[in-house]
Amino acid sequence: MIRLAHLSDIHFGGENVAAVTGAAEVLRGGGFDLTIISGDLTQFGEIGEFEAAAAWIKTLPGPVLVTPGNHDAPYIAWFERFFSPFGRFQRLIGQVEGQTHVSPGLAVFGVNTARGVQPRANWSKGQISRRQTARARDWLCAAPEGQLKVLVCHHPLAEMIGGPMTARVWGGEAAAKAFSECRVDLVLSGHIHAPFAWPYPFGDRRTYAAGAGTLSLRERGVPAGFNIVEADEREIHVRAQAWKGSHYETSRTWSMDRRQ
């Protein structure tokens, strides 16, 4: 059994303090193979917010894989936003692109779908380039059959059905199709602040998108929370954990067939 903790959109600087503390307690007692944080660690990309995030991550049992989100580019420091949008992330958190984790039965690759600036009005939306897609596809395709193959990014590559907001990822549909053809099992993301799980409509429909909610005060119709992902040889289970003010409870579960 593979057990993953999938968190996203903590937004240090605007975090739900009790929910963040409670999540760390679950992680320390949960026996997870890997903790994944899919972006938006900070609210405004401020140095103090990154420092708080880094200190919190150090309290978690390893290993931990973290990708950036659009909020992790400085909001006020415009020179940095244009010329080194994820310099603070790299300096205080770690690798920005191409993070990997390999352990028995598990292969994970991280992609940065956030951008400091873009040639469109809403810079919060996502992008994944052909080069990023090819690099992630080739790495995951090379993983042995039978491993749980996981791609991590901040923005959902295809829109959450009925979601409270959009990601509008440039290159997202092509990437989702490529990862489906490569027989990736899961694409984990955040950004939407609401949990979901559903299959991509490509190939054998056994590549699943799953999104975690938020641990911030910026709730969008669902409580603060995160996901627990469990996979055996036959099924993948995604369990959304909802903060109840003093503890977490499973609010929804998705069960999805694995490739045989």
Side-chain angles (χ1 to χ4, degrees), residues 24-25 41 90 93 102 110 121 144 183 196-197 217 222:
E25 292 175 358
L41 283 173
Q90 182 168 322
I93 303 298
V102 178
R183 297 168 66 83
F196 68 89
L217 298 173
V222 293

Side-chain angles (χ1 to χ4, degrees), residues 94-119:
Q95 190 172 338
V96 173
E97 184 77 41
Q99 307 91 329
T100 61
H101 171 84
V102 178
S103 59
L106 179 64
V108 185
F109 192 95
V111 172
N112 181 18
T113 55
R115 300 293 187 268
V117 295
Q118 300 184 54

Side-chain angles (χ1 to χ4, degrees), residues 147-257:
Q147 282 193 308
L148 185 73
K149 300 181 182 182
V150 181
L151 186 285
V152 180
C153 55
H154 179 63
H155 299 82
L157 300 179
E159 299 299 345
M160 174 188 171
I161 299 170
M165 65 178 295
T166 61
R168 295 181 182 173
V169 178
W170 286 350
E173 183 173 344
K177 185 175 182 181
F179 297 139
S180 297
E181 293 171 350
C182 186
R183 297 168 66 83
V184 171
D185 295 294
L186 283 171
V187 177
L188 301 182
S189 63
H191 188 64
I192 304 300
H193 290 209
F196 68 89
W198 62 284
Y200 285 143
F202 306 112
D204 61 4
R205 297 175 182 262
R206 291 294 184 271
T207 294
Y208 302 100
T214 182
L215 287 175
S216 76
L217 298 173
R218 304 180 69 193
E219 297 175 6
R220 295 194 177 103
V222 293
F226 65 98
N227 289 347
I228 294 174
V229 180
E230 297 178 328
D232 57 25
E233 294 179 353
R234 300 186 62 84
E235 290 185 313
I236 300 169
H237 302 280
V238 177
R239 296 185 171 90
Q241 306 298 297
W243 179 245
K244 297 300 183 179
S246 60
H247 64 284
Y248 282 97
E249 291 182 3
T250 299
S251 61
R252 188 171 179 184
T253 299
W254 296 266
S255 296
M256 302 169 290
D257 294 333

